[in-house]
Amino acid sequence: MEDSRRTVLTVKDLQISIATGSGELQAVRGVSFHIQEGEALVLVGESGCGKSVTAQTLMRLNPDPPVHIKGGEIRLADIDIVQADERQMQQIRGSLVGMIFQDPMTSLNPTMTVGKQIGETLEIHHKLKRKSRWQKAVELLDAVRIPGAAGRAREYPGAFSGGMRQRALIAAAIACKPKLLIADEPTTALDVTIQAQIIDLLRSIQRENGMSILMITHDLAVAASIAQRIAVMYAGRIVETGTVQQIFNNPQHPYTWGLMNSVPRPDQDKNSELITIGGTPPKLLGPAPGCSFAPRCKYAMRICSSADPEEFEVASGHSCSCWLLHPQAPAAAREVKEAYAIV
Amino acid sequence: MSNREVLLSIKGLRKYFAVGSGRMLRAVNGIDLDIYRGETLSLVGESGSGKSTLGKAIMGVYPPTEGSIHYAGQPFLVKRKQDRLAFSRRAQMIFQDPYASLNPRKTVAAIIGEGMDIHGLFRGRERLERICELLELVGLRREMASRYPHEFSGGQRQRIGIARALSLGPEFIVSDEPISALDVSIQAQIVNLLKSLQRELSLTHLFIAHDLNMVRYISDRVAVMYLGSIVELADSGDIYAEPLHPYTQGLLSAVPVMNPDNIRPAGQEYLKGEIPSPASDIPGCAFCSRCSRAMPVCETARPQPVEAAPGHTVACHLYAN
């Protein structure tokens, strides 16, 4: 995977715990990934897998306590995020990293015009004067394809639809040309038509500005439409990572298969049942030893519930933490896997 | 088509809401629709298309502004209490948000049993037995009857909501986005459950959803709504294979595909703009403002549904003779 492009973000063995009334919740349990310049990485997983808390921690958005970084390293363009103090973080947020959230309805201040809100980042980081801030805000609204940008900038968020608000938030997030844009479920609250428009917009921004994107989603199809690389998360760990082609054409982890099969294919026989993942994700208050997915896995072997799976390299840039990939895994399990992969 | 029994028939249904200063929000703006016994009919469309309002109007939640609903040949008068009560034994609803649709202060048994109490159907031990049966029917355990909603996960709560809907032994179910608040792996479980229940209990199912992959899989027929009207209605296979209305074409092309080798190039938008406000007064075709094939007639005349192929109706001037 090493190429000539520079690495924008490196996360190594990140561990995050959340103090709750019933004890320590190990939300992230040793997550490592990196993002190159101009690359889009998508973290895919279900509620509670730790994908959002990972993203929020990259911007240090969560108060400690209760959210505590127990270990690991986050390097963003040579800055050590874990060690950075609040003053440094305020300089980083908005200038080096921009972030957009799931709910465009609540992420904007309803009492401030959209143009002024977009100008805020420019005031803080670039010390622009009022007039040039406004001019820049209008340009940005135009860049995110809001028709009649000059007029819309004077309006309040209440006059904007969900899709328009998400565009305005993207405009604010990219105002200072950050190296990395973090998008946490940016299209989940939107209609499929608006979702397609927003994904298209993000792809254009990525291409035109050479910006890196870290996107969080639970929707594999959304991931396929924007990612260069995908990391599948389950119970606070990355269980499989690879290029988008490797993940979709040659998935290795039973959880990845399960996610793919949970969505009906266009040619799905209506009389056949969907292949589901039984059960529910584990609670992360004192997780059990072994693979967290084992209790829901159809292919679980004895070792799966006693020892954490090692990370196996499937191909260059494609790795998977599953005991089925061990050379000593029973041949039967491998055959199941191969038969499955064809489906 | 004609040999199938029409279970629910709506004619010229309109539901307007007053939004102040004399303006009207036309949530459902003139809909004719027959639902056949035993079928799964899906309503799809963007937010603001009126699909939820239509579902609720059919259930009698809102009295219609205009138009009629016939159920099993009999008129259903929403304003008459005995009609509503009788209807509620035959038709029930499943809601989107499994967190908000269950009373947190009631036990699962009280939630599921409420309908039986209202109708005086089962009492005492018989009632509890029926509740336990329902729990098992939806894949939960009978000892869960004494627990409270907060003790369950989202998927389990949706199962409780389904058990409640089935408690009176209905023949018709309206489910309003029953899976959109759930995780992907749980969605498939709930869809499998809904499909198997429909088969076992011979239910007729009106499925309101925006997930077009799931709709294709679950439905016999699909009705596409736009701004209060049905713009296209056909068998599920036909509508996905050959969508006729430009809106349906745009909607289907926006569905992301699980294939990284087959994504559309950046900068190519299939469906521009956004759905107008249902409070705006549009004399012609409601989709006109976003349609790439709009003609002069589209701005002045509202297109009427025509049967473009057997069982495939579309309301678009492109298909008017």
Side-chain angles (χ1 to χ4, degrees), chain B residues 62-258:
Chain B
Y62 304 129
T65 308
E66 211 181 294
S68 67
I69 304 173
H70 280 74
Y71 188 83
Q74 299 293 317
F76 169 37
L77 301 173
V78 174
K79 285 183 177 155
R80 272 175 51 185
K81 198 177 173 200
Q82 70 258 44
D83 268 27
R84 284 208 306 275
L85 207 59
F87 188 65
S88 67
R89 281 195 64 173
R90 307 178 74 173
Q92 280 293 328
M93 194 155 183
I94 300 167
F95 298 93
Q96 170 173 1
D97 187 345
Y99 292 86
S101 60
L102 303 179
N103 186 336
R105 299 169 64 150
K106 285 186 171 176
T107 62
V108 168
I111 289 168
I112 298 176
E114 191 175 2
M116 301 179 205
D117 300 343
I118 290 169
H119 290 268
L121 281 182
F122 299 94
R123 278 173 222 280
R125 187 170 293 171
E126 211 186 4
R127 177 179 178 274
L128 187 63
E129 187 50 37
R130 172 81 182 139
I131 289 166
C132 292
E133 269 173 34
L134 284 162
L135 283 173
E136 283 170 352
L137 186 67
V138 297
L140 295 172
R141 294 194 311 275
R142 48 199 308 141
E143 60 267 26
M144 291 173 170
S146 55
R147 296 196 195 158
Y148 287 87
H150 74 265
E151 299 174 64
F152 295 90
S153 67
Q156 287 174 323
R157 286 181 210 210
Q158 198 54 289
R159 289 175 192 267
I160 296 167
I162 294 170
R164 172 176 61 184
L166 296 175
S167 64
L168 300 175
E171 51 191 8
F172 180 54
I173 292 282
V174 174
S175 55
D176 188 0
E177 304 265 12
I179 56 168
S180 24
L182 304 174
D183 265 320
V184 191
S185 70
I186 311 298
Q187 286 187 357
Q189 293 177 8
I190 296 293
V191 164
N192 279 343
L193 174 67
L194 287 171
K195 282 197 81 155
S196 73
L197 288 173
Q198 187 193 19
R199 243 190 341 263
E200 284 167 35
L201 307 172
S202 341
L203 298 170
T204 306
H205 189 186
L206 180 68
F207 182 68
I208 301 168
H210 67 262
D211 179 339
L212 293 157
N213 288 320
M214 210 51 106
V215 164
R216 181 206 299 250
Y217 170 67
I218 202 171
S219 0
D220 299 310
R221 288 194 303 154
V222 177
V224 182
M225 284 189 71
Y226 192 78
L227 224 58
S229 308
I230 291 177
V231 296
E232 188 165 359
L233 171 65
D235 282 350
S236 162
D238 295 343
I239 213 160
Y240 280 88
E242 203 189 338
L244 296 178
H245 198 285
Y247 176 62
T248 315
Q249 292 167 357
L251 195 61
L252 291 178
S253 74
V255 178
V257 285
M258 283 234 288

Side-chain angles (χ1 to χ4, degrees), chain A residues 45-48 145 161-164 167 190-197 199-200 203-204 207 218-222 224-226 244-245 248-249 255 259-281 296, chain B residues 45-48 51 153 156 182-189 191-193 195-196 199 210-221 236-237 247 250-251 253-261 263-269 271-275 290:
Chain A
E46 294 179 278
S47 317
R145 302 177 197 158
S161 68
M164 287 295 166
R167 285 171 194 268
L190 304 174
D191 274 314
V192 56
T193 51
I194 312 302
Q195 167 173 284
Q197 294 172 2
I199 289 172
D200 191 59
R203 287 169 62 198
S204 314
R207 202 185 44 213
H218 66 275
D219 187 332
L220 272 170
V222 167
S225 58
I226 192 162
V244 65
Q245 277 81 13
F248 280 93
N249 300 338
Y255 179 63
L259 280 183
M260 289 182 174
N261 278 320
S262 299
V263 182
R265 292 183 311 276
D267 56 351
Q268 185 99 24
D269 178 5
K270 283 192 185 176
N271 298 316
S272 70
E273 282 213 326
L274 292 175
I275 306 166
T276 61
I277 309 171
T280 47
R296 301 176 77 187
Chain B
E46 292 166 278
S47 319
K51 52 192 196 300
S153 67
Q156 287 174 323
L182 304 174
D183 265 320
V184 191
S185 70
I186 311 298
Q187 286 187 357
Q189 293 177 8
V191 164
N192 279 343
L193 174 67
K195 282 197 81 155
S196 73
R199 243 190 341 263
H210 67 262
D211 179 339
L212 293 157
N213 288 320
M214 210 51 106
V215 164
R216 181 206 299 250
Y217 170 67
I218 202 171
S219 0
D220 299 310
R221 288 194 303 154
S236 162
Y247 176 62
L251 195 61
S253 74
V255 178
V257 285
M258 283 234 288
N259 181 356
D261 303 324
I263 54 170
R264 60 174 170 271
Q268 195 179 341
E269 279 185 29
L271 197 53
K272 292 184 173 51
E274 297 185 8
I275 193 164
R290 297 170 78 184

